Amino acid sequence: MSCAQALEQFLSRYHQSYQSSLGEGPRCYARGEASPCVLQEDGEDPQLWQTIRREQPGSFANVSHALELPLHADIDEFYGQFFAAHLLFEADFGEGELLQPWSQDDFEFLQQNLIGHLMMKRKLKQPPTWFIGLLGQGDEMICVDNETGAVWRETPGELPSKKLADSLEEFLVMLRPRVAPAVEPWRMLTIPVSGRG
């Protein structure tokens, strides 16, 4: 199974979990940001949303070129296949949320944030990682080691602290969707992360 297939399966389980538990799909605070994911265009938050497969997959080739750094292939599969809100999960190691681009504008903002994160790692003379989510109250990130593709816990500005999985595919299979009411976005990392919660 590829990273893209594992993500697609998790997204399917995610929407099924909300339908089974709440009788409707997930909701999020869109804060007026347009997205093809929104199911009802009434401008009221929280918005009912659905995952949308991108017609033209997103690519991080521009980020790789700008930083002169080959990026692990999983970054395109994880961030480039779908538009979605952030995805709440639970696992044996704790609770958190996965980041996903809400729209093309959000995808481009995400790329800028990842450039900032990678430049910070370079400045600190640390091996490059790229973030895919948050843990707990948002003080730790879930990051992918760019060389090996392994998934780690990481505190901004520090070296990764604990390996969670050998690959992004393995990591996604471990996750269980967490059904919860939409909450207004609250978090801010050292490197700002875009998106809805």
Side-chain angles (χ1 to χ4, degrees), residues 8-170:
E8 186 171 11
Q9 288 184 8
F10 179 76
L11 285 164
S12 178
R13 296 198 311 272
Y14 195 80
H15 287 278
Q16 288 172 2
S17 295
Y18 272 82
Q19 285 290 346
S20 298
S21 298
L22 303 179
E24 67 173 18
R27 292 179 177 269
C28 70
Y29 281 84
R31 297 172 297 176
E33 295 178 33
S35 169
C37 301
V38 175
L39 286 172
Q40 52 193 38
E41 293 287 349
D42 58 12
E44 295 293 322
D45 276 337
Q47 296 274 358
L48 199 61
W49 67 273
Q50 65 181 351
T51 300
I52 298 294
R53 181 182 293 277
R54 297 182 59 153
E55 292 181 15
Q56 181 68 36
S59 170
F60 283 79
N62 58 332
V63 174
S64 180
H65 179 74
L67 296 175
E68 298 180 343
L69 173 70
L71 292 173
H72 195 283
D74 281 352
I75 194 168
D76 284 345
E77 292 198 10
F78 183 78
Y79 280 129
Q81 302 300 311
F82 302 99
F83 290 130
H86 293 179
L87 307 166
L88 305 178
F89 71 81
E90 58 186 14
D92 292 346
F93 55 81
E95 294 184 347
E97 64 182 300
L98 297 178
L99 308 178
Q100 284 290 285
W102 181 239
S103 64
Q104 181 59 31
D105 287 346
D106 197 37
F107 180 78
E108 292 168 9
F109 187 55
L110 171 68
Q111 289 183 318
Q112 294 169 17
N113 284 341
L114 279 164
I115 287 173
H117 174 79
L118 288 162
M119 288 179 67
M120 177 189 72
K121 299 299 280 186
R122 183 175 286 174
K123 182 177 179 181
L124 294 172
K125 295 180 169 53
Q126 296 177 1
T129 63
W130 38 273
F131 53 77
I132 59 165
L134 303 170
L135 284 170
Q137 295 300 307
D139 50 350
E140 282 188 295
M141 299 183 294
I142 308 163
C143 288
V144 176
D145 181 305
N146 190 58
E147 182 176 345
T148 67
V151 181
W152 290 76
R153 298 177 86 112
E154 183 177 316
T155 300
E158 299 180 9
L159 288 166
S161 59
K162 182 179 181 182
K163 187 194 286 190
L164 300 175
D166 289 331
S167 68
L168 194 42
E169 169 200 338
E170 180 183 305

